[in-house]
Amino acid sequence: MLESVCDSLWRASAPEGPKLAPLEGRHEVQVAIVGGGFTGLSAALHLAQLGLSVAVIEAQEIGFGGSGRNVGLVNAGVWLEPDQLDKTIGADAGRTLYNTLADAPELVFSLIEKYQIQCEAVRHGTLHAGVGKPGLAQLQRRCEQMQMRGAPVQLLDTAEAQTRIGSSKFNSALFDPRAGTIQPLAYARGLAKAALKEGALLFDHSPVSSVQPSSEGWIVNTPDGEVHAQKVVLATNAYSEHGVKEQARKFVPIFYSQLASQPLTSAQLAQILPNGEGVWDTCTVMSSFRLDQQGRLIFGGMGGEGGVLSNWASQRVSELFPFLNKVEWAYSWSGKIAYSEDHLPHCQQLQRGLFSVAGYSGRGIGPGTMMGKELAEWFAGKRDALSVPTTTLRNIPLRELKRLFYEVGAHTYHLGQKTHAFD
Ligand SMILES: Cc1cc2nc3c(=O)[nH]c(=O)nc-3n(C[C@H](O)[C@H](O)[C@H](O)COP(=O)(O)OP(=O)(O)OC[C@H]3O[C@@H](n4cnc5c(N)ncnc54)[C@H](O)[C@@H]3O)c2cc1C
């Protein structure tokens, strides 16, 4: 079934990125950023807008990490339920972070508008779909807590959820009209073009081999060049490699894979997500689905790519949407999510002038864009702190074992849930 698979749909359908070159020779800037994903690119764009000199140094190509591989759901807030967020970091810090990230979709869509980023942006909301009694109870809690904080969310009843999704397998859905979907790699490439336009320097194919202190700040070294900067941000999240590999030890890497179908027929599209929302469900081993501009169904689930996941995905899709008959998958790809121990993003001041922002735990489009903007404002003296707590994270003990636990758990779930997954 997977003969026609060729890499990621996002790589196949994104407009070309900017033409960049590897870092060569010596450069001096106020801020050097390691990593060309949403966090690093948004930081560079906003720093340049504020008149600071900035260079982004990317090991591979723009959007190589999670930013070019994700589902493309531009959501507000973090994974945790709002009350849980307050419990985890305290009521005041929780409220600050909640309010900031409530505005994250607006920031993303306004940047897309301002810089005319061609990234299939659709702001028709997202649906968190309820499965079973625990799923409904979770959505009721979330809805109540979010509405108490002023969010315009709505809990859809069974009939409404099933019509909006086009499947009889869900008993409810939490609709968030602030949210939407994008083609994530196209958004990352568009942010890079916008940052260049504002005057940032961008280098690709330049793996940072070390970051060393100097009398004026820091020196960021790559095989053929060096950047001298007063401040350095490591924006490498789950993909921290080469000279910043140590950062990866602060998070558990969780794999999430996606499959994209051939374009559906107009009759099929009239039934699946007719309003164009993106969906993820309340199952412990979560899955997601959405459409792209070509009318392809993009289905994702936790775990690495491979036969088990694609068999399970085909089975799941035929249970969800029996009218599709047999789905032909045309693309398959996966990515690594950086799970922090508390499922929240963190800013770490590793040493004076050396920062890392990471740990989005699967929700980084809005938060990564927002944290990049806040970093820029902080460095420009326009704010006193970030909305995420600045912490010192320990290396996660038994990290590889925890990764295996999630991977084997997802694998077993996919093997065991071939049928009656929604019963
Ligand atoms: C499969 C998947 C689905 C997801 N779905 C969603 C979703 O629907 N909605 C949502 O909000 N979030 C989602 N996320 C999370 C989101 O994609 C990430 O949180 C976000 O992309 C993180 O952006 P970032 O810029 O911090 O890091 P990344 O985009 O991972 O960028 C890090 C970059 O650092 C570079 N790098 C690493 N080491 C070095 C080095 N030594 N030198 C130079 N460069 C280096 C890497 O090459 C990489 O390009 C998903 C993630 C995955 C993997």
Side-chain angles (χ1 to χ4, degrees):
M1 183 210 305
L2 291 173
E3 296 91 62
S4 59
V5 161
C6 61
D7 203 0
S8 125
L9 168 64
W10 303 142
R11 281 179 63 83
S13 63
E16 287 217 348
K19 294 270 172 283
L20 304 176
L23 174 66
E24 281 182 12
R26 183 191 153 112
H27 297 259
E28 273 187 39
V29 289
Q30 285 164 291
V31 184
I33 293 167
V34 184
F38 303 139
T39 308
L41 295 167
S42 171
L45 167 61
H46 289 98
L47 281 162
Q49 274 179 352
L50 290 166
L52 277 78
S53 56
V54 53
V56 175
I57 306 127
E58 164 56 49
Q60 307 273 351
E61 54 180 41
I62 295 300
F64 174 82
S67 299
R69 300 164 188 258
N70 62 68
V71 182
L73 306 179
V74 186
N75 276 315
V78 289
W79 272 116
L80 295 182
E81 292 176 17
D83 284 359
Q84 188 61 38
L85 172 63
D86 288 358
K87 268 196 206 129
T88 307
I89 58 173
D92 288 346
R95 191 53 63 103
T96 302
L97 185 56
Y98 180 87
N99 288 340
T100 300
L101 296 184
D103 294 337
E106 180 57 31
L107 173 65
V108 170
F109 287 105
S110 66
L111 288 173
I112 291 169
E113 173 72 26
K114 177 171 178 186
Y115 292 100
Q116 293 293 293
I117 298 176
Q118 302 303 310
C119 62
E120 304 186 17
V122 177
R123 199 172 183 185
H124 292 176
T126 51
L127 295 165
H128 192 177
V131 178
K133 276 191 193 160
L136 174 60
Q138 185 199 142
L139 295 185
Q140 284 166 335
R141 270 195 322 271
R142 280 186 183 271
C143 185
E144 193 183 327
Q145 293 172 22
M146 289 166 87
Q147 285 179 343
M148 272 178 61
R149 288 161 175 82
V153 292
Q154 203 188 337
L155 187 59
L156 308 183
D157 64 17
T158 306
E160 176 78 4
Q162 294 186 352
T163 307
R164 293 273 279 271
I165 296 171
S167 171
S168 63
K169 296 295 181 185
F170 301 103
N171 59 21
S172 53
L174 187 59
F175 173 60
D176 189 339
R178 299 167 297 180
T181 56
I182 54 170
Q183 207 282 26
L185 180 59
Y187 174 57
R189 289 179 176 176
L191 278 182
K193 288 180 189 162
L196 281 172
K197 197 170 161 192
E198 295 289 351
L201 295 173
L202 268 65
F203 303 99
D204 64 2
H205 299 290
S206 305
V208 168
S209 46
S210 65
V211 181
Q212 295 172 314
S214 74
S215 52
E216 280 101 48
W218 295 92
I219 306 172
V220 178
N221 295 297
T222 66
D224 297 315
E226 56 188 48
V227 175
H228 293 240
Q230 290 151 22
K231 291 190 172 73
V232 174
V233 179
L234 308 181
T236 50
N237 205 42
Y239 282 81
S240 305
E241 291 289 348
H242 313 285
V244 302
K245 214 174 182 151
E246 189 61 15
Q247 285 311 303
R249 297 170 60 80
K250 314 252 165 84
F251 308 102
V252 178
I254 305 290
F255 282 88
Y256 193 90
S257 301
Q258 294 181 84
L259 296 145
S261 72
Q262 300 291 357
L264 304 181
T265 64
S266 45
Q268 292 167 335
L269 288 170
Q271 294 184 70
I272 297 183
L273 296 170
N275 297 336
E277 301 95 336
V279 182
W280 76 107
D281 68 27
T282 55
C283 296
T284 312
V285 180
M286 189 199 105
S287 46
S288 58
F289 50 92
R290 54 163 294 189
L291 301 166
D292 78 343
Q293 210 167 48
Q294 304 302 313
R296 298 177 188 277
L297 176 67
I298 304 162
F299 190 86
M302 278 172 80
E305 261 172 284
V308 172
L309 188 101
S310 75
N311 289 343
W312 170 78
S314 299
Q315 178 71 33
R316 188 83 149 187
V317 165
S318 62
E319 285 171 358
L320 282 171
F321 310 112
F323 52 88
L324 288 184
N325 300 320
K326 199 171 178 301
V327 178
E328 293 269 327
W329 298 119
Y331 298 93
S332 163
W333 69 102
S334 65
K336 258 187 295 180
I337 292 173
Y339 260 84
S340 60
E341 279 194 304
D342 59 9
H343 294 187
L344 291 174
H346 288 264
C347 172
Q348 300 165 76
Q349 171 135 226
L350 301 165
Q351 287 185 46
R352 195 180 149 82
L354 177 62
F355 303 86
S356 158
V357 181
Y360 298 104
S361 304
R363 187 168 293 187
I365 302 177
T369 307
M370 184 60 90
M371 287 309 118
K373 177 173 181 278
E374 287 204 347
L375 273 170
E377 291 167 353
W378 191 28
F379 291 170
K382 297 203 174 295
R383 57 184 307 127
D384 297 332
L386 302 183
S387 301
V388 282
T390 304
T391 39
T392 309
L393 293 178
R394 60 181 190 140
N395 288 351
I396 293 189
L398 306 176
R399 177 176 163 270
E400 184 55 18
L401 213 60
K402 287 176 180 159
R403 184 190 73 72
L404 275 172
F405 173 77
Y406 284 111
E407 188 66 28
V408 171
H411 194 81
T412 311
Y413 178 85
H414 294 147
L415 273 174
Q417 292 256 324
K418 278 192 180 164
T419 51
H420 310 302
F422 297 94
D423 290 353

